[in-house]
Amino acid sequence: MLDEQMLPDKPPALARSLGVAGVLFLTLSATTPASSVFVIIPGMLQEAGTGAIWAMILASLICVTTAFIYAELSSAWPVAGGEYVAVAQTLGPMAGFIMLGVNVFNNVLFPPVAALGIASVMATVAPGLPAVPVAVAVMIGSTLVAILNIRVNAVITGLFLLVELAAVAVVMVLGFADHARPALEFLTDPVVAVAETGQGFVPASAASIGVATTIAIFALNGYGMAVYFGEEMHEAPRRIAGTILAALGLALLFEGVPLLALLLARIDLATLLTVDDPFGLLVRQRGSAGLSALVSVGIVLAIVNAIIACVLACARFFYSTGRDRAWIPRIDDWLVAIHPRFDSPWIGTLIVGGMGTLACFLPLSMLLVLNGTGLVAIYGGIALAAIAGRRSGASAHAPYRMPLYPLAPVVTLLALAYVVWTSWLDAGEGRPGLIATAAQIAGSVLWYKLVLCRRGQWKVQT
């Protein structure tokens, strides 16, 4: 246990040691195009069938406009707390703490989602691996690596990222090399395979496309994580906006194009829409057994890389919450403790890894929906923060200003309203996800009112 009397009154600062390349490697690794393609996008196909193309388009629209918002707010407040700091500075402390509360779930739940997909990806090389034990082992190992110096992790993630993008490139080449159906029909006549009978298709509903859109938002999410490394980036206010936009552009390329390539491939469409590992199936049928094994190993490395990057980002988020005294004193002090050798928030990293390890025991479908609807709340919050910051002048000092304001926040809010409506129509997954996010918001309000307000006015550090 740490002795609270030995901790300084002012928390130690994170060391600035990263350039644009280092932050981009970490951010794109957290976005993890390969694990999104092999682990997350199959859920979109099972939910919305070929309507996954529409879901990806809608999610891309939301993410592009939201990236402009992230870029402006992050250049104004390049702080490890990310979204909740910007919202608190523009919409007030309670709104900021609501963003903090929702982000606790959103940030913590991604690593176990990725880890739970490793066993299915490895089925080609090592069939029969138990998903939960493998996920737990990966979470523990990734957490220990994340304690190391941030520059060491930037180099590691950069190298793994090259392997990841090579695996995605294989999917694109194999899918486009011998296509079987026109792409336009995915837009004009989206269909879902009838899994119960194994025969035929039915039109994709607005509700199913809406749920798939929330999954797609989650798959593309990660570009905003650049702000979590802002306090370790040289000249962050000037450079972080370009890093965020570059990360999203690469994510759109390496996730949207493989999805299209898969649906065009000369493989039975009903099988592609219902099998658990459609991209692996593409590599096995259109490539070779050896190529499939290499791709599987590359995807596993990419997933582990993504988990490391996300734990790194999440630990810095929790470092910021501890510095802002968001919890009880002992936990706050743990979260701001910096390792004397690695300059990392090491206890916060262990806490993040521990929570992610426990989440491995939850069903994957539940984690996907909870993350997707949580992101809707977060994106909505920063869209309102961008509008409020412009009106009040709170964000006037930002070096980056989004183009065509207020188009980006307005489009984001309208698109999110559609996602909320269609998700509510889906009583099986979408509605429970929205209810869970509402419960997170309610719990955050209660903690703010019953704990933080009794201490006095809660303020965030910038």
Side-chain angles (χ1 to χ4, degrees), residues 251-291:
L252 291 173
L253 174 64
F254 286 103
E255 294 183 28
V257 176
L259 172 61
L260 179 60
L262 174 77
L263 293 176
L264 290 174
R266 193 174 295 278
I267 299 177
D268 178 66
L269 184 59
T271 301
L272 287 177
L273 299 182
T274 55
V275 72
D276 289 335
D277 184 22
F279 292 95
L281 176 67
L282 170 64
V283 176
R284 291 191 297 273
Q285 289 199 6
R286 309 306 301 172
S288 65
L291 180 62

Side-chain angles (χ1 to χ4, degrees), residues 13 30 46 65 70 83 106 110 122 153 161 169 175 191 194 273 328 360 363 367 393 406 424:
Q46 293 173 0
T65 56
Y70 263 112
E83 298 91 347
N106 185 64
F110 171 76
M122 283 295 292
N153 275 289
L161 187 60
V191 295
V194 183
L273 299 182
I328 61 176
C360 290
L367 296 177
W424 185 257

Side-chain angles (χ1 to χ4, degrees), residues 17-18 26 145-159 305 308 312 341-342:
S17 58
L18 294 174
L26 290 166
V145 172
I147 293 175
L148 300 176
N149 183 273
I150 189 69
R151 292 187 66 183
V152 173
N153 275 289
V155 172
I156 293 172
T157 56
L159 294 174
N305 188 38
I308 294 171
L312 286 165
R341 179 179 177 184
F342 301 129

Side-chain angles (χ1 to χ4, degrees), residues 104 108 313-323 327 335 348 352 355:
V104 166
V108 167
C314 192
R316 279 135 185 90
F317 164 81
F318 275 100
Y319 165 86
S320 181
T321 68
R323 180 176 57 193
W327 315 112
L335 293 175
V352 168
M355 291 190 294

